[in-house]
Amino acid sequence: MFNDYMVELGNRRSCIRDLYEFGRRRAADVGEDSVFDFSLGNPSVPSPAEMTDRLKTLIGGCDPVTLHGYTTAAGDMKARKAIAEDLKNVRGARVSADYIYMTCGAAAAVAIALNAILNEGDEVILLTPYFPEYEVFVKKAGGKPVFVGCDEKFCIDFQSLERALGPATRAIIVNSPNNPSGIIYDRVTLKRLCDTLDEYQKRTGNCVYIVSDEPYREIVYDGAEVADITSMYDNSLIAYSFSKSLSMPGERIGYIALNPSAHSADRLYAAIMGAGRALGYVCAPSLFQRLTAACLDLRPNIEVYRRNRDALYGMLTGIGFECVFPQGAFYMLMKALDPDACAFSDRAKDFGLLLVPGDDFGAKGYVRLAYCVDENMIKRSEQAFKKLYNSYK
C-alpha cells in the first residue's frame, strides 16, 4: 500500500536525532547540568548583529506583497547575481547567475543535484567518512552509493577511488570541511582528485560530476584554505547552505551553483530546474533569499568554535582518548574504547555523555562530537569523560 523504502526511513530514525531527544528526556529527569550533549550540529554562535539590522531594513523598506511573494522558480535574480559576484570575487569561482538555483538549504541542493544527474542504476561515489543522508539522497534519486575508504589521516584513498570508478559512475560527492571529521581536503588533494577524474573521462568518455557540498566552507581555523572546485574541474557544481556560515539553520536557505563549463551545462541546469519542480522545492524562502544576498559580507564569530575545538581536543587527549584534530567545521572524531562504537556510545550515556556512533558516517570504531556547544559544558564534561575512560581501564 505504501512506499516500503519511505516506511523504512520513517521507522529508522537518525541516530543523531535519537540521541538529541534522549538528552532532552534525560535532562528533564536529572537536570541540564548532568547531561553533556555533543550530538547535534546546531550552531551555538549567534548570527551577526548586522544581519538583524539588515533584516529590519529589508522588512521596513519593501512592499510586503513583493517581500513575501513568490520569486521565479530558480530564485530571485538579484540574489543570484549577488551570490555569483561574491563567489567570483572572493573565491575565484567559475559561476554565473544564470546557472544558480536557490534551494531550501544544502540538503535540498544535494538532493536536487543528484535527481538531475542520475538515471536508474547510476552510481555515486561517497568518500568516507560522509554525511549519512547522502546515502538516502542517492537511493531516492534511483542511484547506487559506492563507498570509497579513507587513508589513516581521513583523506581520500586514491587507490580505492580508482578501483571504484566504473561505467556506471556518474557523480562523486565531496564534503570539505568534512562532517564528521573536520578534515579539509587541501588544494593538492583536490587537484589530484580532479586530475584522476579528468584522466578517467578522457580514457573512457564517461562524464563524472563532482557535487561539492560546502555548508562549512567559512568555518575554518589556523589559516586553512578551502579551495574552489569550479576553478579546478569543469564538471562541477557547488551545493551550499547559509545555515552554518550565518548561524541560521532553521531558515533553510542555500543554493546550487553549476559550473557553466560543465558538460551539457544547459541541459543539466534544465534538469536541476526539473528536479526542483518534481521534488516540490520550487521557490526557496523569498525573504531569506533577499536577506542572505544582502549579508554575503558577514560571518559569525568562529573564534568561539576554535576555542571549543582546542579545549575539547586538549581535554580528551589529556585523559587518554585518541582524536582526529579538526581543521574546520565544528565536529571531532574520537576513537571509541570498544570495537563497537554503538556499545561505546550507549555506555557513554550512563555518564550523561551524548556521543554519536560513527558507523552511519562510515567511520566505524569512532564517535562524533559536535563542539558547537556552550564553552562551560566542555569544562563540566571533563569528569564524565574521565569516568567513561576509567570504566574501560
Side-chain angles (χ1 to χ4, degrees):
M1 180 184 294
F2 305 114
N3 185 304
D4 290 339
Y5 180 52
M6 295 302 134
V7 172
E8 178 194 347
L9 281 179
N11 285 325
R12 179 168 51 87
R13 292 162 53 84
S14 159
C15 62
I16 300 170
R17 293 286 176 178
D18 271 348
L19 267 177
Y20 175 75
E21 290 175 15
F22 169 83
R24 296 306 88 216
R25 296 192 300 271
R26 174 91 172 182
D29 291 338
V30 301
E32 292 280 351
D33 287 350
S34 298
V35 176
F36 312 103
D37 188 353
F38 294 94
S39 66
L40 195 61
N42 198 28
S44 56
V45 173
S47 299
E50 299 95 324
M51 194 172 84
T52 302
D53 295 336
R54 293 178 194 182
L55 176 59
K56 292 176 180 176
T57 300
L58 192 62
I59 292 173
C62 288
D63 170 47
V65 174
T66 302
L67 185 63
H68 299 294
Y70 288 123
T71 65
T72 62
D76 178 71
M77 181 50 82
K78 289 183 180 179
R80 290 155 60 194
K81 285 181 177 178
I83 289 166
E85 286 304 306
D86 183 70
L87 285 170
K88 284 188 280 192
N89 294 337
V90 175
R91 297 184 51 75
R94 283 189 288 168
V95 293
S96 164
D98 293 330
Y99 291 91
I100 288 177
Y101 185 90
M102 302 302 295
T103 65
C104 296
V110 174
I112 289 170
L114 292 173
N115 276 269
I117 293 169
L118 301 181
N119 285 298
E120 194 72 29
D122 285 345
E123 294 178 354
V124 178
I125 291 176
L126 302 184
L127 302 169
T128 57
Y130 59 91
F131 181 49
E133 296 304 279
Y134 292 160
E135 187 175 355
V136 176
F137 300 155
V138 170
K139 290 181 178 178
K140 180 63 180 72
K144 176 185 175 184
V146 175
F147 305 99
V148 168
C150 56
D151 64 18
E152 67 280 358
K153 295 182 179 179
F154 287 88
C155 199
I156 301 170
D157 181 338
F158 280 96
Q159 289 185 337
S160 297
L161 172 62
E162 289 172 6
R163 288 194 298 268
L165 290 168
T169 306
R170 291 292 174 269
I172 178 170
I173 301 178
V174 172
N175 176 220
S176 173
N178 179 258
N179 176 10
S181 70
I183 293 299
I184 294 173
Y185 297 151
D186 63 21
R187 184 174 289 275
V188 173
T189 299
L190 287 179
K191 180 67 166 58
R192 185 176 176 186
L193 171 62
C194 296
D195 288 347
T196 299
L197 296 180
D198 273 331
E199 190 280 329
Y200 173 76
Q201 291 175 140
K202 290 174 184 175
R203 177 166 47 86
T204 65
N206 186 27
C207 183
V208 179
Y209 292 90
I210 292 180
V211 178
S212 184
D213 184 27
E214 304 181 1
Y216 304 98
R217 188 173 68 208
E218 284 80 20
I219 303 178
V220 297
Y221 315 110
D222 311 319
E225 177 197 23
V226 179
D228 174 71
I229 199 68
T230 65
S231 61
M232 304 171 75
Y233 187 73
D234 286 348
N235 293 325
S236 59
L237 58 86
I238 296 166
Y240 186 77
S241 168
F242 292 95
S243 294
K244 275 66 178 185
S245 64
L246 288 176
S247 292
M248 49 188 297
E251 308 305 347
R252 311 311 302 143
I253 188 70
Y255 59 80
I256 297 170
L258 172 63
N259 188 335
S261 301
H263 176 71
S264 300
D266 288 341
R267 283 179 58 80
L268 178 50
Y269 189 73
I272 287 169
M273 294 273 289
R277 177 183 177 187
L279 292 168
Y281 284 139
V282 173
C283 185
S286 58
L287 172 59
F288 289 96
Q289 288 188 49
R290 296 180 173 96
L291 176 63
T292 51
C295 295
L296 294 171
D297 60 320
L298 301 180
R299 297 290 176 266
N301 178 18
I302 66 167
E303 176 64 14
V304 174
Y305 297 142
R306 188 199 60 76
R307 289 200 304 267
N308 281 1
R309 177 200 65 173
D310 292 349
L312 184 62
Y313 183 85
M315 181 185 76
L316 293 175
T317 55
I319 292 170
F321 289 106
E322 182 181 332
C323 302
V324 179
F325 189 68
Q327 299 163 294
F330 37 58
Y331 306 106
M332 184 181 299
L333 284 179
M334 181 178 83
K335 195 168 186 178
L337 299 179
D338 187 314
D340 183 346
C342 293
F344 180 77
S345 174
D346 283 341
R347 185 183 292 200
K349 289 180 185 176
D350 295 339
F351 303 98
L353 294 164
L354 306 187
L355 316 176
V356 180
D359 295 47
D360 286 352
F361 296 88
K364 291 189 176 182
Y366 287 81
V367 291
R368 189 195 78 167
L369 291 80
Y371 54 86
C372 47
V373 297
D374 183 82
E375 295 175 79
N376 289 324
M377 193 192 84
I378 294 176
K379 296 174 184 175
R380 290 189 291 103
S381 69
E382 183 171 8
Q383 292 306 312
F385 276 110
K386 285 181 177 178
K387 289 177 183 177
L388 173 62
Y389 185 84
N390 290 331
S391 76
Y392 281 92
K393 301 301 176 180

